[in-house]
Structure formats: C-alpha cells, structure tokens
Amino acid sequence: MKASRRTVRLELTEPLRISRSTMSAREAVWLTVEHDGLHGHGEAVTSVYQGLGTETLQGLFAAVGTALRRFADPESALEALRAGELAGADTPPAVTAAVDAALLDLVGKRAARPVHRLLGARVAPVAATARTLGIMSPLRAAAEARRLAADGFEVLKVKAGAPDAEDDMERIRVIRDAAPGARLLVDPNGAWSTARATALLPRLADLGVAAVEQPLAPGDPDALGSLAEKSPLPIIADEDAVGFDDARRLAGRVHGINVKLAKCGGVHAALRIAALLEGSGTGLMLGCLTASSLGLAPAVHLADRARWVDLDGHLLLAHDPWTGIGGEDGFVRAGALPGLGVEPRQVGREDLA
C-alpha cells in the first residue's frame, strides 16, 4: 500500500464566534491510501485548541505513510491500527481517526459495502442534526433561526458564554421565539462558573432548552457531575470527555457525553465509548469539528447509535469540497456507496491519488 497527503483551506461562510475564540477558516489535511487501484480517504483539520497545526499534521501523516508500506492490504493495516501497532501511542487522536477513516473507506470499497454495513447496521443511518448558531446579535440570531427552521432543521445549537449572561439569555429567547418547533441545545464551551450555571439552568429549562453542553470549564469532572445531579435539564460533557477513560469517569454522572472522532481516535474508539455508556444512564452525543463532508462521514455512519447528533461542520463552509452526507435539509444520511460514501465535488480524483 502507498499513501499520499494534500492540504486544503476550508473557509467558513461567516466567522463562527464561540466563548473562547472566533474562527473564519481552518486547514484540512487529506490522507489518501491506495491499494490495487482503489483509494481510501480520511481528513484531519488543524486545531489551535488541540495544538495541531498544518506542518504537524503533514509530518504525522508522512510517518503513517511510511508505516503503511509494511502491510499487504488495508484490512491488516486497520487491524494493526486498532491494536495500537500502526500509529504510536503518542499519535494525536485526530490523526488516528483520519487513518482509521481512510482505511475503512478503502476496506469498504474492496468489499463493495458502505461503512455502516461493515459495522453491522443493515439500514443506512439517517439523523436530524443540530445546526450551530454562534454568538451574534439577537436580531441576526432570530433571522438565522427562522431561516434554518424553514429549511427543515429540527435542532438548533446555540453557542453561549458571552461576558454578560443576559446577552446569552436574550439570544436564546429570540431564537426560541423565532423557531418555536425546534429543540434547542445550549453550548457555553466551558465558559460558565458553577454559580452562573446554577443560576441559568432553571431559566433555560423554563425556555424549553433540551440540554446544555459543557457549561463548566474542563478539568474538574467532579464539579460537572455534581452540577448534572442537581440540574433541571440534561448536562452533556464535551471538553471534559476526550477519550475512553474520561467517559468511564463520567458515565452515570452526566446525562450525555459528546463523542467526536477527532477527540477519541476514530470509529472503533467511538464504538468502545458507546458500548461503555449502554445501561449507564448517560446518552451518546455525536459531535464534530468544522470540517468537510469527508471529515464528518465516518460519524454519520454511526448516527443511528446516538441520542443527540451534532454533525453540521460541513454546513458551515463556504465551499465543501466533498459531497455525499447531505445535511442541508436538517438531516445527515449515510450513503449506499461503498466505503464512506463521499465523493470529491470539484477536485479531480487524480489530485487525490
């Protein structure tokens, strides 16, 4: 097998402001694995929060490409990856997830089966995805909420964590009024103190908010668990639940855990967490980073296993270079094509090989 990589820039339609930063673009590195004339693709995106820049990703993928040469086929490489024998223990989960995706894509194409069939699902997953609204003026938030509801979105995720809590509350109120039929998720990205969260949660419950994601700063899962125990609405851990060990500490203590493949290490790692959560009282949320359809596709093949689905990262882009998972009408769909089921939109396959 041989591997290649390519870096592209993903521009957002408009800057996305959250409590800790504002983002207008990020770079993605695509990994392509080739065997017997077939190609599998995976994607990792740069992340300041995770400390992953373009050069770092390029170097890590180069090392993976060298390691892949010793395997006779993608099936054995995938088995080695999941046994921890392909990528080193210090390989970032985002890189492991991209390699996992590329190998799954290639294995599926060789078997002429979509990834969800490889994972045991007979029916292609379809799920209503949340659509993110960043921190913005109430007037704009209301207009966006009305537009998204008209497009078919049933779940809206409202970013919070403005310096003045009343700014958050006003934005959530106008979104509630503009899209009365939508389920609302609120995500402060860890910006609230325990006192602020305790004061705001009952008010959010009165507004009909469905759940709040990571209200407290990460690093104190006990505080998050204590808050969830007293909360009048579900609390979902995100930044406090990076991998399996974090999920094990929080299982049964919070109402949900947001699993992002780039955080936990890929499809196999996500399935381990899903199995851990079964029967614990903690539901599974599938989340994402802002990425292309290629980057989100592996999670879409797991979407039928989640209580909450937030797979809208590709919908925030000015131009998504891949297609195949939908989402524009509020629903993501795993396709019937072999592998991940995504195809390049305006990029020739010769550029990806």
Side-chain angles (χ1 to χ4, degrees):
M1 287 191 302
K2 62 181 181 179
S4 59
R5 60 198 185 277
R6 180 183 177 194
T7 299
V8 298
R9 186 169 177 83
L10 302 176
E11 299 277 354
L12 276 66
T13 302
E14 59 184 59
L16 175 66
R17 180 187 169 197
I18 65 174
S19 60
R20 61 174 177 257
S21 63
T22 299
M23 181 179 63
S24 59
R26 72 188 333 157
E27 290 193 319
V29 181
W30 296 339
L31 173 71
T32 297
V33 182
E34 187 271 334
H35 183 69
D36 286 346
L38 294 174
H39 300 84
H41 307 289
E43 176 181 273
V45 294
T46 56
S47 171
V48 174
Y49 187 75
Q50 295 180 338
L52 293 176
T54 306
E55 290 186 6
T56 299
L57 289 175
Q58 284 274 11
L60 290 165
F61 278 144
V64 166
T66 299
L68 283 170
R69 291 185 195 134
R70 73 176 191 263
F71 294 95
D73 52 59
E75 291 81 7
S76 59
L78 186 60
E79 184 178 345
L81 180 73
R82 293 177 172 178
E85 299 167 358
L86 172 57
D90 58 346
T91 301
V95 173
T96 303
V99 179
D100 187 43
L103 291 173
L104 269 174
D105 191 28
L106 186 51
V107 169
K109 289 172 180 174
R110 279 165 55 84
R113 300 172 72 187
V115 164
H116 61 268
R117 292 289 303 277
L118 296 179
L119 301 176
R122 298 187 60 84
V123 178
V126 178
T129 180
R131 179 63 159 80
T132 300
L133 291 163
I135 297 175
M136 60 182 71
S137 72
L139 186 64
R140 277 211 52 231
E144 282 293 290
R146 279 192 293 270
R147 179 183 67 81
L148 292 169
D151 286 344
F153 284 89
E154 300 177 355
V155 186
L156 299 178
K157 178 172 172 176
V158 186
K159 290 294 187 178
D164 186 343
E166 292 309 315
D167 290 343
D168 286 337
M169 293 303 300
E170 177 63 15
R171 187 168 57 260
I172 295 163
R173 273 193 294 269
V174 300
I175 290 172
R176 169 81 293 158
D177 291 342
R183 287 180 290 145
L184 299 187
L185 307 176
V186 172
D187 183 11
N189 287 106
W192 291 346
S193 65
T194 298
R196 177 171 288 194
T198 301
L200 293 182
L201 288 173
R203 297 173 63 187
L204 294 174
D206 289 342
L207 286 173
V209 169
V212 175
E213 190 178 337
Q214 194 67 46
L216 306 181
D220 191 349
D222 288 337
L224 191 66
S226 297
L227 181 69
E229 184 180 2
K230 305 167 188 174
S231 174
L233 74 173
I235 300 295
I236 302 169
D238 181 1
E239 286 89 344
D240 261 326
V242 174
F244 183 85
D245 289 341
D246 297 325
R248 183 167 51 192
R249 281 191 288 269
L250 285 166
R253 303 190 62 196
V254 293
H255 304 92
I257 287 178
N258 187 350
V259 173
K260 297 175 182 173
L261 302 193
K263 289 194 314 179
C264 70
V267 167
H268 181 65
L271 289 174
R272 287 187 67 216
I273 294 174
L276 168 74
L277 297 183
E278 286 182 8
S280 70
T282 297
L284 174 68
M285 179 177 187
L286 279 174
C288 66
L289 303 180
T290 303
S292 76
S293 287
L294 172 60
L296 270 73
V300 175
H301 286 273
L302 302 175
D304 55 344
R305 305 165 191 255
R307 177 178 173 185
W308 300 277
V309 174
D310 178 23
L311 299 177
D312 70 334
H314 62 306
L315 302 176
L316 306 180
L317 302 180
H319 171 69
D320 183 355
W322 294 80
T323 184
I325 59 173
E328 293 81 3
D329 62 350
F331 290 82
V332 288
R333 299 168 175 85
L337 292 175
L340 292 175
V342 294
E343 296 180 307
R345 192 187 300 270
Q346 292 182 358
V347 181
R349 286 189 179 276
E350 66 276 5
D351 295 327
L352 297 172

